[in-house]
Amino acid sequence: AATMTPYASESEMKADKEFYATPWTDTKSSRIRSLNGDWKFNLVSEPSQRPLDFYQVDFDDSSWDKIPVPSNWEMQGYDHPIYANVEYPHANTPPFIRARPGFNDDGANYGINPVGSYRTTFSVPADWQKRRTILHFGGIYSAASVWVNGQYVGYTQGSNNTSEFDISPYLKPGDNTLAVEVMRWSDGSYLECQDMFRNTGIFRDVYLTHYGTTFVRDFTIEPRYLSKGRYELYIWADVVGSLYSLIYTIKKGDEVLHTITTNSGEKIRYILDNAIEWTAETPELYTLELQLIDNKGIAMCLRRDFGLKDIKIRGNVLYFNDVAIKIRGVNHHDSNESTGYYMTTEDYLRDIEAMKALNVNAVRTSHYPPDPIFILMCEHYGLYVIDEADIETHGVLHKEYWHPKAISHNLKWKEHYWDRVRRMYER
């Protein structure tokens, strides 16, 4: 689904003046509640040692340590970061995870598969328990199981992809217990053999999003080039609920260009004349504001900035808005020298400013989807983005491990690949 922040009112939405540069944890939206902070934490070196009942509400975690979430546990003094390029830090026995003794020069055995157990408590307003409340994880290396109030909610892997769970049936008045079990390695790790330091844990924002009985589940803005300075916009929304209307407002800065009202989520078409196109040198953006109205009034507001651009390849030449361009690009890892994979908005801004100062016009998100805030910031500051799915299988190319049925040639792995591609593309 599209990355979006729902608001309860237009005034809330407008209070987030620069939402693209505002961490989700600082949003003015009353529909978002951050779960970032210090969580209780326990780490063991292999799955057989993990606590099996830690997700129970009355479990005694008083002896456990505290760890900041989001973070990588290796950057908090637990276990060790592992640098590897084209080989797996665990035994190469897909799809199974087995130890690889003595991987590092010091002879340490890092491949047994450490397991981190996390616990935290939170409370929500009473009406959040009666409607839809979504638990959002921005990224977890490498696989996780989730419980709320002692009840199993679900499982996720695909480390750099968003994972969301509907936890409405599990909420209760007062304190709620959230427990997450994180495996350092999973069968998904065979698709995550990127050239980088290998770290683990809940490393991106965790928050709750609350929706009313009528809400936008997903929405799309699709600009299509007609001729120079002329575009058509197709806009549509996937709405849950009935008896509603949608008000779309298209703006350039503070100027309202057009307002469209529809009683369905079907695709609407609007012709935009005298269009100002987006480029990395001139990152001109338009804004779509959406109001969802039901029989009680405003059910939800959201907004999204977007650029107008036409991309074609003719022969071996890339044309952007009918102009041949050259890419001066860099690879970018989500990496901070102190926090590992966890990057703040300020970290991203520092990197973007360095790119712009060095006349870089494009960035490749090597080798996985970044935090969505990075994509939004690239739109605003002017960088062409090559977004990548979280797929790299270097390890099976080595020595006797390569064979015609190895991962990329094996249809049993097909849905693992497509899951990551879909999640990257649709977001």
Side-chain angles (χ1 to χ4, degrees):
T3 296
M4 58 181 166
T5 300
Y7 297 91
S9 66
E10 190 176 9
S11 60
E12 262 189 18
M13 180 175 67
K14 291 183 176 179
D16 270 351
K17 294 183 183 299
E18 293 183 323
F19 80 106
Y20 69 89
T22 302
W24 311 118
T25 53
D26 291 340
T27 180
K28 305 300 188 295
S29 172
S30 61
R31 299 290 182 85
I32 302 286
R33 176 155 300 188
S34 172
L35 298 185
N36 290 358
D38 288 338
W39 294 26
K40 286 301 189 82
F41 180 70
N42 179 74
L43 184 70
V44 296
S45 63
E46 59 178 288
S48 65
Q49 299 173 359
R50 75 194 194 279
L52 297 178
D53 59 347
F54 83 104
Y55 57 85
Q56 300 291 351
V57 174
D58 58 357
F59 180 84
D60 183 7
D61 61 13
S62 58
S63 63
W64 284 18
D65 296 339
K66 289 184 178 180
I67 193 170
V69 172
S71 71
N72 290 127
W73 70 53
E74 293 85 353
M75 308 304 288
Q76 301 298 321
Y78 303 91
D79 206 351
H80 301 276
I82 298 174
Y83 175 76
N85 182 1
V86 294
E87 53 191 337
Y88 293 115
H90 45 78
N92 199 335
T93 55
F96 304 105
I97 296 297
R98 297 193 174 102
R100 183 180 176 184
F103 177 68
N104 282 21
D105 292 338
D106 61 7
N109 184 344
Y110 298 124
I112 296 179
N113 201 8
V115 180
S117 302
Y118 294 78
R119 285 172 56 91
T120 191
T121 59
F122 63 91
S123 60
V124 294
D127 60 344
W128 283 36
Q129 301 156 28
K130 301 174 184 177
R131 298 173 182 169
R132 186 163 305 194
T133 299
I134 303 299
L135 172 62
H136 171 106
F137 294 95
I140 306 175
Y141 261 97
S142 75
S145 298
V146 180
W147 294 262
V148 172
N149 292 327
Q151 299 184 71
Y152 180 68
V153 173
Y155 171 85
T156 179
Q157 65 183 49
S159 301
N160 293 280
N161 292 283
T162 295
S163 302
E164 293 187 328
F165 302 92
D166 184 352
I167 62 170
S168 314
Y170 313 110
L171 295 177
K172 65 178 184 180
D175 286 341
N176 291 265
T177 300
L178 170 61
V180 183
E181 180 181 83
V182 177
M183 297 280 184
R184 182 164 198 183
W185 314 117
S186 68
D187 60 347
S189 301
Y190 284 99
L191 301 183
E192 296 171 359
C193 190
Q194 292 101 333
D195 175 11
M196 63 184 188
F197 279 101
R198 314 299 171 86
N199 289 314
T200 326
I202 304 171
F203 71 96
R204 289 185 185 154
D205 291 327
V206 184
Y207 58 84
L208 302 175
T209 305
H210 176 65
Y211 298 97
T213 52
T214 306
F215 64 95
V216 174
R217 179 162 45 199
D218 197 4
F219 72 102
T220 301
I221 311 165
E222 184 181 314
R224 295 182 187 176
Y225 175 83
L226 294 177
S227 60
K228 196 63 178 176
R230 197 161 193 261
Y231 277 76
E232 57 183 352
L233 298 180
Y234 288 91
I235 304 168
W236 66 97
D238 178 6
V239 179
V240 174
S242 58
L243 300 176
Y244 64 86
S245 61
L246 286 163
I247 302 174
Y248 297 114
T249 302
I250 301 166
K251 302 171 71 174
K252 183 72 176 73
D254 292 328
E255 180 186 1
V256 175
L257 303 180
H258 201 72
T259 299
I260 305 164
T261 301
T262 176
N263 292 322
S264 75
E266 294 298 315
K267 188 180 295 188
I268 59 127
R269 177 176 178 264
Y270 170 64
I271 300 296
L272 184 60
D273 289 310
N274 302 313
I276 304 173
E277 292 171 318
W278 185 99
T279 72
E281 293 76 24
T282 58
E284 297 280 352
L285 292 171
Y286 290 79
T287 301
L288 172 71
E289 293 181 352
L290 182 154
Q291 291 188 54
L292 176 65
I293 314 294
D294 64 11
N295 58 4
K296 296 180 181 178
I298 294 178
M300 178 177 165
C301 296
L302 60 88
R303 73 179 180 193
R304 182 71 164 86
D305 291 346
F306 62 95
L308 301 174
K309 44 194 175 286
D310 178 55
I311 305 169
K312 289 185 173 65
I313 297 175
R314 300 173 188 153
N316 294 322
V317 180
L318 173 63
Y319 286 84
F320 200 92
N321 299 332
D322 212 29
V323 175
I325 66 169
K326 289 187 177 180
I327 294 293
R328 287 179 55 89
V330 294
N331 293 332
H332 182 270
H333 270 295
D334 281 0
S335 183
N336 177 288
E337 66 275 14
S338 300
T339 58
Y341 299 156
Y342 172 51
M343 294 188 71
T344 64
T345 306
E346 291 73 24
D347 290 333
Y348 280 129
L349 182 57
R350 177 198 63 200
D351 288 354
I352 289 172
E353 288 178 337
M355 294 177 208
K356 298 296 288 186
L358 294 170
N359 201 29
V360 167
N361 69 358
V363 59
R364 171 181 172 233
T365 68
S366 61
H367 304 279
Y368 41 78
D371 190 301
I373 202 73
F374 182 65
I375 304 290
L376 300 179
M377 294 175 74
C378 288
E379 287 181 331
H380 277 261
Y381 289 100
L383 285 167
Y384 304 115
V385 177
I386 297 91
D387 200 1
E388 291 201 351
D390 199 0
I391 298 171
E392 189 72 81
T393 59
H394 275 141
V396 295
L397 296 177
H398 270 221
K399 300 179 183 177
E400 70 273 16
Y401 298 118
W402 187 91
H403 53 83
K405 294 184 179 180
I407 300 182
S408 296
H409 298 69
N410 188 337
L411 289 177
K412 290 182 179 180
W413 288 83
K414 177 182 175 181
E415 288 307 314
H416 290 268
Y417 278 76
W418 278 111
D419 173 68
R420 291 163 186 256
V421 172
R422 288 189 197 100
R423 288 160 75 184
M424 180 275 290
Y425 176 78
E426 292 179 2
R427 190 195 73 183

